[in-house]
Amino acid sequence: MISPLLLAARSERVRRLVTGLPVTRRVVDRFVAGETVESAVRATRELTGAGLAVTLDHLGEDVRDRDQAEATRDAYLKLCAELERAGLSQGAEASVKLSALGLRVEDRLALDNARRICEGAERAGMAVTVDMEDHTTVDSTLDIVRELRTDFPGVGVAVQAMLRRSEDDLRDLAGTRVRLVKGAYAEPASVAYQTKAEVDRAYVRGLRLLMREPGGYPMVASHDPRMIELALWMARDAGREPGTYEFQMLYGIRGAEQKRLAGLGERMRVYVPYGSDWYGYFMRRLAERPANLAFFLRSFVSR
């Protein structure tokens, strides 16, 4: 069943209502670094100063216009250049959504824009990981990632454990840079597991596949304490040293745990979204965890 919050994320009327509330801006600031590239640079400086790595997402998706897709590409190129100018680009990463680069317009447009971003990131000493979106885009996303890897073999890709097909995809991708997430899109039962227990089991199976492949680089994207402990155990069991895998968490969520893992010598990367098109991202964060929604509702009555 589709979450009411995910349905709200698609509603223009609800968008206008939520974005118009003064309290919303205060809450969004917890999950989004800001609307400008300067705010992204500032957040990067703060996080790396605390011993954390970063991956940056210029917010936006489902673009239907060539000019807008190219504007997103240019925003990423500016990000890479600004991070390099600030001395913050080495070890940083850009996370890109192909639908923001024109996938809904034409696959070739998204590929060309992604290639330009990979070129800019490489010049700056940054990595690139391609986010995974809803199930209708999986095949085209994986095709574009394969093409990008002919020139940029280090390009990473996200895989959603909730999709029933993902275990087979992970077998094909094992040995490469893969970010394993549970998944935050509303998907039908025909293509995705629906219960938390099913998704958790799928995540563990996927994590085991990635950790056992010695040539790969697993990126464990989870806030779940059980998954984090399982990942640490699997890494030790596979003979992996810290730095041959990493943990990833969202900006504004479980900050103390992020610092704890970094303090243990683990590579801990924070997914930092920025930009003016924050509404869809924000609503998915609320839908993912009841604690996030409770935080939002408390803000209406707190001073």
Side-chain angles (χ1 to χ4, degrees):
M1 190 174 81
I2 298 178
S3 160
L5 284 168
L6 293 175
L7 288 173
R10 303 173 183 175
S11 167
E12 186 58 36
R13 188 170 70 87
V14 176
R15 175 192 288 263
R16 288 195 299 269
L17 173 64
V18 172
T19 57
L21 293 170
V23 70
T24 301
R25 182 71 260 172
R26 298 201 304 271
V27 181
V28 168
D29 286 343
R30 170 177 172 171
F31 302 110
V32 178
E35 295 194 356
T36 65
V37 69
E38 291 79 15
S39 63
V41 171
R42 183 167 56 250
T44 299
R45 183 176 289 110
E46 291 172 358
L47 291 165
T48 56
L52 303 166
V54 296
T55 184
L56 295 121
D57 173 18
H58 179 77
L59 289 172
E61 56 190 276
D62 207 24
V63 165
R64 308 278 176 162
D65 176 82
R66 180 177 294 268
D67 289 343
Q68 192 177 354
E70 292 175 350
T72 300
R73 174 202 67 199
D74 292 344
Y76 274 104
L77 294 176
K78 182 178 181 181
L79 171 69
C80 295
E82 291 298 323
L83 288 174
E84 184 177 22
R85 185 173 296 112
L88 297 168
S89 58
Q90 293 294 324
E93 180 186 77
S95 285
V96 299
K97 287 182 173 61
L98 294 179
S99 74
L101 299 178
L103 187 65
R104 303 289 191 186
V105 180
E106 182 187 356
D107 287 8
R108 176 57 59 176
L109 175 63
L111 173 60
D112 290 345
N113 286 333
R115 184 175 283 119
R116 287 281 304 281
I117 292 170
C118 289
E119 290 169 353
E122 186 173 71
R123 286 194 298 270
M126 295 172 59
V128 173
T129 289
V130 176
D131 285 338
M132 191 62 72
E133 302 178 69
D134 72 87
H135 78 277
T136 65
T137 67
V138 174
D139 285 325
S140 53
T141 296
L142 293 177
D143 287 344
I144 287 174
V145 167
R146 290 185 193 99
E147 290 207 47
L148 290 172
R149 284 176 170 174
T150 60
D151 295 317
F152 307 98
V155 168
V157 64
V159 173
Q160 299 179 86
M162 70 181 292
L163 294 181
R164 297 180 186 275
R165 61 171 289 170
S166 288
E167 203 165 342
D168 288 335
D169 290 333
L170 288 169
R171 288 191 180 92
D172 293 337
L173 292 164
T176 67
R177 289 181 67 246
V178 179
R179 174 194 294 152
L180 184 62
V181 302
K182 288 187 179 181
Y185 289 85
E187 302 282 14
S190 58
V191 301
Y193 301 114
Q194 300 295 299
T195 69
K196 182 180 184 302
E198 288 177 313
V199 175
D200 284 353
R201 288 194 291 270
Y203 194 93
V204 171
R205 292 194 299 271
L207 193 56
R208 187 179 294 115
L209 279 170
L210 295 177
M211 286 292 187
R212 286 178 175 175
E213 178 53 57
Y217 186 78
M219 296 178 277
V220 185
S222 177
H223 307 99
D224 187 332
R226 297 169 304 160
M227 298 304 164
I228 292 167
E229 290 307 310
L230 273 171
L232 289 168
W233 181 86
M234 288 182 190
R236 289 192 296 269
D237 187 60
R240 286 182 173 273
E241 296 293 329
T244 63
Y245 60 94
E246 67 181 45
F247 292 94
Q248 295 191 0
M249 294 186 193
L250 298 173
Y251 182 79
I253 299 180
R254 301 205 71 198
E257 177 66 1
Q258 294 173 13
K259 292 176 181 176
R260 183 188 77 86
L261 287 168
L264 293 175
E266 299 292 338
R267 184 173 293 167
M268 177 67 240
R269 191 178 301 276
V270 183
Y271 188 102
V272 181
Y274 75 100
S276 59
D277 191 12
W278 49 261
Y279 176 75
Y281 175 87
F282 174 63
M283 295 302 283
R284 283 197 297 276
R285 297 294 77 77
L286 295 184
E288 279 179 340
R289 298 180 68 233
N292 293 342
L293 180 59
F295 176 83
F296 181 48
L297 296 175
R298 282 198 305 271
S299 298
F300 283 97
V301 295
S302 62
R303 298 287 181 183

